[in-house]
Amino acid sequence: MSTAREQPIFSTRAHVFQIDPATKRNWIPAGKHALTVSYFYDATRNVYRIISIGGAKAIINSTVTPNMTFTKTSQKFGQWADSRANTVYGLGFASEQHLTQFAEKFQEVKEAARLAREKSQDGGELTSPALGLTAHQVPPSPLVSTNGPGDEKLFRSQSADAPGPTERERLKKMLSEGSVGEVQWEAEFFALQDSNNKLANALREANAAAAQWRQQLEGQRSEAERLRQRVAELEAQAALEPPPVSEKEGTGQTLEQLEALVQTKDQEIQTLKSQAGGPREVPDTVEREETQQKVQDLETRNTELEHQLRATERSLEEARAERERARAEVGRAAQLLDVRLFELSELREGLARLAEAEP
């Protein structure tokens, strides 16, 4: 099919159906979604066509003739029979306004096709050699509708024996009336099917989001449990350390004892120095040497005590710094635990809202 010499004159979107060629009673949808349906005009041949393309093939390729009739079978559904294609097309529109516009355009195109035919026949009375009918006696399409014993809608091809005018008019009227309930049900069914697909996709997305939230919730729970264990370990470690007051008192007592001992030794050194440097009538070399040795020993001991005092002070400062670091770490862990617990609470609220929103 080529539309290079044809120009579109009207386009709309609708769900396209064709009658089932096997049963002649059920509609077969051309696709899951609405398609573009257009009127084309071929100026070379003075022909109007209704065309709808689905993928790489033509779903509708119907040449409009004066004998065709577009029938509204519901507020959003219409149909027409194409004798050349030996089928019946149905269109389900999104609104009654779109259906009305398409029907009005169909009537305009049909009238234009009739005028073109009259012009080609020099404006004389249009007659059909095969049926002997005037232009106002429109023969029915080869696919007509009839109601059987159970008011069941049936479509069949026109037989070789053409029925009489009265029978044709009766069949044409039945085709126009159609089975409104069945056609409307078909259109509503596919509309509901589209809505159901959208809802199913939304539900799948919600389930995926809920699964992701559950994973995040499990991760937050694990992190909170780890933080609780860390806080418990830090508290246990802090409990094992001596209280700050007792440690300070013990260290203070040690420092006081060392200072007192240093002062005592200093006094002894001064006493010995004074004794060694005082005037003596009979100097004793041995005693002086012993005294000097004692002085040296005391000075050495004094130096050791001073070193021990400085080492004790450093140990005290390090112990205080370590305790401050432990307290800071406990504080940070407690703050992080509070944040995780708050996030966990928000996740629970989100899951609760999602569970309430799910049908």
Side-chain angles (χ1 to χ4, degrees):
M1 178 190 66
S2 175
T3 59
R5 60 185 179 183
E6 293 177 300
Q7 297 295 329
I9 58 175
F10 178 82
S11 295
T12 186
R13 291 186 66 83
H15 289 272
V16 180
F17 302 86
Q18 279 186 273
I19 202 66
D20 188 353
T23 62
K24 304 297 182 181
R25 49 181 289 187
N26 297 324
W27 289 108
I28 299 177
K32 295 182 179 180
H33 305 288
L35 301 175
T36 300
V37 182
S38 303
Y39 287 92
F40 281 82
Y41 174 63
D42 187 349
T44 304
R45 298 187 300 162
N46 201 16
V47 172
Y48 294 87
R49 288 198 298 170
I50 301 175
I51 297 175
S52 177
I53 305 298
K57 64 178 181 178
I59 306 299
I60 300 177
N61 184 10
S62 177
T63 301
V64 180
T65 64
N67 298 332
M68 288 185 177
T69 301
F70 184 81
T71 305
K72 297 181 181 179
T73 56
S74 71
Q75 292 182 348
K76 299 180 181 180
F77 196 90
Q79 66 183 48
W80 78 95
D82 189 340
S83 59
R84 297 183 180 181
N86 194 27
T87 188
V88 177
Y89 295 105
L91 298 179
F93 295 88
S95 64
E96 185 177 1
Q97 180 181 1
H98 291 86
L99 174 60
T100 302
Q101 292 176 351
F102 187 88
E104 292 175 353
K105 181 59 65 174
F106 192 97
Q107 189 64 28
E108 293 177 6
V109 170
K110 175 182 174 181
E111 182 66 19
R114 184 185 65 80
L115 293 176
R117 176 178 292 184
E118 290 179 353
K119 183 178 180 180
S120 65
Q121 295 180 358
D122 297 329
E125 185 180 17
L126 299 179
T127 59
S128 173
L131 299 178
L133 299 176
T134 63
H136 297 286
Q137 293 177 325
V138 181
S141 62
L143 291 179
V144 297
S145 170
T146 181
N147 294 335
D151 290 337
E152 185 178 28
K153 183 181 177 183
L154 299 176
F155 291 88
R156 60 182 178 81
S157 300
Q158 187 177 16
S159 62
D161 298 333
T166 304
E167 182 67 13
R168 284 196 298 272
E169 292 297 330
R170 185 179 69 83
L171 293 177
K172 180 180 178 181
K173 182 179 179 180
M174 293 173 66
L175 175 62
S176 300
E177 294 175 355
S179 179
V180 177
E182 181 180 352
V183 173
Q184 185 175 5
W185 179 87
E186 292 279 355
E188 294 297 331
F189 170 76
F190 285 99
L192 290 175
Q193 190 176 27
D194 290 340
S195 300
N196 184 53
N197 292 334
K198 294 178 180 178
L199 290 175
N201 292 333
L203 181 59
R204 283 193 294 270
E205 292 177 357
N207 290 334
Q212 185 177 3
W213 288 349
R214 291 190 185 96
Q215 292 178 357
Q216 293 180 357
L217 178 60
E218 292 299 329
Q220 296 291 342
R221 286 177 178 174
S222 301
E223 183 67 15
E225 185 64 26
R226 188 186 68 81
L227 291 175
R228 288 195 187 97
Q229 294 178 359
R230 179 60 179 166
V231 170
E233 291 175 359
L234 293 174
E235 290 177 351
Q237 183 179 357
L240 294 176
E241 295 179 356
V245 177
S246 300
E247 180 183 355
K248 185 176 180 181
E249 291 178 354
T251 307
Q253 293 177 359
T254 303
L255 292 175
E256 291 176 357
Q257 292 175 359
L258 292 173
E259 290 176 354
L261 184 58
V262 169
Q263 291 177 0
T264 302
K265 297 301 181 181
D266 287 339
Q267 290 176 1
E268 291 180 0
I269 291 171
Q270 293 298 329
T271 302
L272 292 173
K273 285 183 178 180
S274 63
Q275 291 178 359
R280 297 184 63 179
E281 295 179 355
V282 183
D284 190 354
T285 304
V286 177
E287 184 178 355
R288 186 168 52 252
E289 290 178 357
E290 291 178 356
T291 302
Q292 291 178 354
Q293 184 65 35
K294 288 181 180 180
V295 171
Q296 291 178 359
D297 293 340
L298 288 174
E299 289 179 351
T300 303
R301 178 62 178 166
N302 187 28
T303 303
E304 293 177 355
L305 290 175
E306 289 178 355
H307 291 167
Q308 186 177 357
L309 178 59
R310 286 193 291 271
T312 304
E313 290 177 350
R314 286 196 299 271
S315 299
L316 177 59
E317 292 299 329
E318 291 176 357
R320 289 176 179 174
E322 181 64 24
R323 185 165 188 81
E324 290 299 327
R325 285 195 297 271
R327 287 180 180 176
E329 188 174 358
V330 171
R332 288 194 298 271
Q335 292 178 358
L336 184 58
L337 179 60
D338 292 339
V339 172
R340 296 303 184 187
L341 290 176
F342 178 74
E343 293 178 353
L344 181 62
S345 176
E346 287 186 342
L347 284 174
R348 286 178 178 172
E349 292 178 359
L351 288 175
R353 290 193 298 269
L354 180 61
E356 291 176 357
E358 288 182 357

